[in-house]
């Protein structure tokens, strides 16, 4: 399977490679892969941000409990539950998109070495 970094950084090289292999029907996959990759990366960032916020709020809950501010702590606990629910949704969507991304990437041919002559089939 081709490395995602090659597709991210050398999209035109990948498209040219697909054309050299006479598989033009796979050209739209490159843009689809880039789009899916961006969505997966944004979801990862959002998930990481929410986990960081959850950790911060959880430590605040501990402080509030020590100070006997039960009502404020319960409000923060409800916020943590909301964060956890959103994280579950994000992780599910990220997993689905990652599988779709991998499936599409498996269809992209590897880059042809410069020493290989270009022909329609092995006989050329």
């Amino acid at each position: 399977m081709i490395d995602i970094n090659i597709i991210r950084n050398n999209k035109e090289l990948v498209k040219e490679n697909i054309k050299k292999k006479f598989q033009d029907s796979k050209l739209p996959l490159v843009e689809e892969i880039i789009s899916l990759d961006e969505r997966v990366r944004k979801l990862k960032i959002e998930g990481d941000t929410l986990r960081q916020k959850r950790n911060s709020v959880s430590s605040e809950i501990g402080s509030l409990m020590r100070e006997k501010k039960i009502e404020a702590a319960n409000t923060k606990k409800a916020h943590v539950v909301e964060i956890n629910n959103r994280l579950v949704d994000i992780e599910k969507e990220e997993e689905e998109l990652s599988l779709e991304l991998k499936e599409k990437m498996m269809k992209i041919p590897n880059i042809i070495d410069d020493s290989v002559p270009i022909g329609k089939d092995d006989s050329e």
Side-chain angles (χ1 to χ4, degrees):
M1 181 169 74
I2 192 167
D3 185 0
I4 187 68
N5 289 317
I6 294 173
I7 297 173
R8 281 184 201 140
N9 301 325
N10 297 310
K11 165 173 87 168
E12 293 308 317
L13 172 71
V14 174
K15 286 182 176 182
E16 186 61 34
N17 186 65
I18 291 171
K19 289 177 187 175
K20 285 179 182 177
K21 289 194 171 202
F22 302 98
Q23 299 177 0
D24 291 358
S25 63
K26 294 182 180 179
L27 286 173
L29 285 175
V30 176
E31 296 300 329
E32 292 173 23
I33 288 170
I34 289 171
S35 175
L36 280 171
D37 180 53
E38 288 174 3
R39 289 172 50 198
V40 168
R41 293 169 76 184
K42 284 179 183 176
L43 286 171
K44 284 183 185 199
I45 291 169
E46 184 180 353
D48 290 345
T49 302
L50 285 173
R51 284 182 201 88
Q52 181 182 14
K53 185 169 185 148
R54 178 183 62 191
N55 292 342
S56 173
V57 172
S58 293
S59 67
E60 290 175 25
I61 292 171
S63 298
L64 291 170
M65 293 298 277
R66 283 189 294 277
E67 296 170 10
K68 306 289 186 207
K69 297 180 180 178
I70 306 300
E71 191 173 313
N74 288 336
T75 303
K76 296 281 185 182
K77 285 180 184 178
H79 186 61
V80 168
V81 169
E82 290 174 16
I83 291 172
N84 285 336
N85 290 338
R86 178 65 184 137
L87 275 171
V88 167
D89 293 341
I90 287 173
E91 289 167 354
K92 181 180 178 190
E93 185 178 356
E94 182 183 336
E95 183 179 337
E96 290 170 359
L97 291 176
S98 292
L99 287 172
E100 184 180 348
L101 176 63
K102 184 176 180 181
E103 182 181 306
K104 289 183 187 282
M105 286 184 57
M106 296 293 281
K107 295 177 183 175
I108 298 289
N110 285 323
I111 303 297
I112 299 172
D113 188 80
D114 291 337
S115 66
V116 176
I118 305 301
K120 290 188 179 192
D121 58 29
D122 290 343
S123 67
E124 292 182 9

